Structure formats: C-alpha cells, structure tokens
Amino acid sequence: MGESISLGEIQETLLIPLYGRALDARKRHSVLDDRKAAELVDTLDYDFAKFRGPSLFGSVLRASIFDGYVRSFLAEHPDGTVVDLGCGLSTRFERLDNGRVRWFDLDVPDTMELRRRFFSDSDRYTMIAGSLFDTDWFEQVKERGGPVFLLSEAVLLYFPADQVHSTLERIVAEFPGIGLAFDTGGRAMMNSQDRNPVFKAVPARMVWTCDDPRTLEPLGLTLLESRTFASPQPEVGRMWPLRYRLGLKVLRCLVPPPVTTYKLNRFETAAET
Ligand SMILES: C[S@@+](CC[C@H](N)C(=O)[O-])C[C@H]1O[C@@H](n2cnc3c(N)ncnc32)[C@H](O)[C@@H]1O
C-alpha cells in the first residue's frame, strides 16, 4: 500500500505534471531527468495510469521553459530569491539550486501537507503553506531584500480573471521592479479542455482565458518574453529531443490553437514611483 493522497480538485492536478516528469525520467533522452518524480509516482497510492495524452509531455516542456527563466535570473542574481507560487510536488529547487539562492515554495495547506512528507526545509529553502491569493507570504519573501523572481506554473489558469488580475496588481504594488513568470491560455485552449485526455481524468477545469498576455500590461506589468512550446529559449530547446522540436514546429503550422495559444510569459513589474 503506497502513501495515501487527499487533495482538493485543483490540487489534484499537480499529479499530472508529476506523472509527466516521472515518465520523462524513464526515457533514454530525458529532458528534466527528474528521478524524484519517478520515485514519488512509485510511492503514492494513486491511479496515475488514467492520465494519458500529449499534455503529460507538455508539462515537461513547460517546466523546462520555466527552468530557463529561473536559470537566467540566477545567472544575473546568483544570491537572489526565487518563489514558486503553487509549486505542487515540483523539484525545481533541486534542479536549479546554485548553492546561493534563497528559495520559497508556496502551496495551499493540503498540498503542502503532502509535500512535507517528501521534502524538508533547509537554511536556504522554505516551504510556505498558504494561498498565493493571500498576502501573508509577502513579508516572509521581502524580509531578505535583494532581487526577487516570482513564478507560478499552471496555477493561475484555474482561477477567474478578476481574482488573477487583482492579485497581479497587489504583487506589482508590493514587489516593484521584479521578474515574474506565469502561463496564460487562450480561448481555443480553454474550449478544448473537455477533449483533452488528462482533463477527462480529473474534475478541475481551467477558467482564466487570456488570448494575449500583453493585455495584462495595464496591471503594471511589462511583457519581456512570451514563449510557446514551438518557441522555447534556444538553450532550452536544445535539451529537447529533436523529434519534439520538429514535431512542434509542424504542429504550429497545422493546428495552431493548442501550441500557440498556450503561452509561457516573463514579465517585469513596474518600478516604484
Ligand atoms: C497543475 S498544478 C501545478 C503544480 C506545479 N506548479 C507544477 O507545475 O508541477 C496546480 C497547483 O496549484 C496549486 N494551488 C491551487 N490553489 C492554490 C492557491 N490558492 N495558491 C497557491 N497554489 C494553489 C495546487 O495545489 C497545485 O499544486
């Protein structure tokens, strides 16, 4: 009998990318080589086999593009602070730790309870149980001072636009001039969820539609880059198997919506006035 799981509906979706990374780790040409994910999938008492389809590998490509954003930040600010909002069972800190970064992983209490069974805090790594929509985590992150990079991967999509917008405005006000990365999905992607095999296996649905991430700029954000699976950072794309790189380029021309309306964006928050 494995470790039992009891998670809310949106929280359960963290098991999709976890399984994607575990499958990737078992491949000969692994993108992330996330062996801890494979270990966790073997340990948890959950029917992972019900998850099928391209979104599994999509979550690996997504994670590697977000990794690229964090790597660039750390290259410029090796002593900086990184906060992963809605981290799930991500192993990003283990993948990117440069020995100097101060890292916070935040997620809601039931997810954090699960996470704490397999991960531990350390002098530079802290897990926070709470909602990204609350403001409780602001002070803890700001306490250290210095450059901050916030990311939120596959989380905001599950919440209504007004809730996302007001939180982004609060983040801009609280963290001026910092880097911020999150993903957005256009109408075509949102409308195709019920046909997506991974969403047939879970009750949660994404609700925030954003066709163009530039429309978020009036909230106090400047869009610095917006990538799709067909346009990863060159150094990230080089780590992907050639057949995926070529396949995604072809897919972009043939069936635009799934590949081009899902965007992985990097912004800068407005500087203090
Ligand atoms: C699709 S999973 C993504 C997990 C992780 N970012 C990844 O890519 O592996 C969605 C995550 O959002 C988290 N979540 C749900 N509501 C949240 C909230 N209010 N604040 C922070 N995280 C939340 C869930 O617990 C879950 O870990």
Side-chain angles (χ1 to χ4, degrees), residues 6-15 88 107-111 159 204:
S6 171
L7 292 170
E9 289 189 0
I10 298 178
Q11 291 83 311
E12 185 183 3
T13 62
L14 71 88
L15 301 167
D107 211 307
V108 287
D110 53 347
T111 297
F159 294 90

Side-chain angles (χ1 to χ4, degrees), residues 216-234:
L216 301 171
E217 291 195 328
L219 301 172
L221 298 169
T222 302
L223 182 64
L224 301 177
E225 49 186 318
S226 185
R227 300 192 173 275
T228 68
F229 291 156
S231 58
Q233 302 92 323

Side-chain angles (χ1 to χ4, degrees), residues 136-174:
D136 303 3
W137 55 274
F138 289 176
E139 277 318 306
Q140 204 170 341
V141 170
K142 280 161 64 172
E143 224 164 56
R144 182 169 181 248
V148 173
F149 190 82
L150 304 181
L151 74 128
S152 192
E153 176 184 0
V155 181
L156 298 175
L157 301 166
Y158 291 94
F159 294 90
D162 51 352
Q163 191 176 356
V164 173
H165 290 184
S166 57
T167 295
L168 290 174
E169 277 176 328
R170 270 205 301 273
I171 286 175
V172 170
E174 204 71 27

